[in-house]
Amino acid sequence: QLRLVESGGGLVQPGGSLRLSCAASGLTLDYYAISWFRQAPGKEREGVGCISRSGRSRNYADSVKGRFTISRDNARNTVYLQMNSLKPEDGAVYYCASSTGCSDGMDYWGKGTLVTVSS
């Protein structure tokens, strides 16, 4: 079974940056595409983006395109979400999840890490 653990969340000022990590254990990450989701209080969970197993394909939600970047280091079994130019509306609990491909349903989920964007 694949276990995913997010880290790197915290409090950041608007315009600032954070890098979230999604560390995998239990199975090799090479076999999985990894997606990032977020859920703000009182709102539905939304997809942020996805990176393919090889890392050659990535897609992003319109709301984060140009500001967020997903990357992966399969040797370290870790996927990253670099978030720049953060806005208050980016504040949420961020989750990573695995799937066979970016168009497939999610198999495993992490427990999330909280990002707060506030001055």
Side-chain angles (χ1 to χ4, degrees):
Q1 182 172 349
L2 187 67
R3 181 169 175 258
L4 300 173
V5 179
E6 303 91 339
S7 63
L11 173 64
V12 62
Q13 292 187 343
S17 298
L18 274 179
R19 188 178 79 159
L20 306 184
S21 298
C22 173
S25 62
L27 294 172
T28 181
L29 199 59
D30 299 44
Y31 298 142
Y32 298 94
I34 298 294
S35 295
W36 285 94
F37 294 84
R38 66 186 182 186
Q39 187 166 22
K43 295 189 176 181
E44 292 189 356
R45 185 175 61 200
E46 64 170 334
V48 174
C50 180
I51 187 167
S52 64
R53 287 179 289 178
S54 67
R56 287 193 288 267
S57 176
R58 288 172 267 194
N59 59 60
Y60 300 95
D62 287 344
S63 58
V64 306
K65 206 171 289 183
R67 299 188 298 123
F68 289 13
T69 302
I70 302 175
S71 61
R72 67 190 298 155
D73 184 343
N74 285 345
R76 295 181 182 269
N77 251 18
T78 303
V79 171
Y80 303 98
L81 177 65
Q82 177 67 44
M83 306 186 295
N84 299 328
S85 303
L86 282 161
K87 305 175 182 180
E89 54 263 41
D90 293 318
V93 177
Y94 283 73
Y95 302 88
C96 62
S98 65
S99 59
T100 303
C102 285
S103 301
D104 298 316
M106 301 301 125
D107 301 313
Y108 301 103
W109 290 81
K111 294 187 177 181
T113 185
L114 177 64
V115 172
T116 303
V117 185
S118 174
S119 54

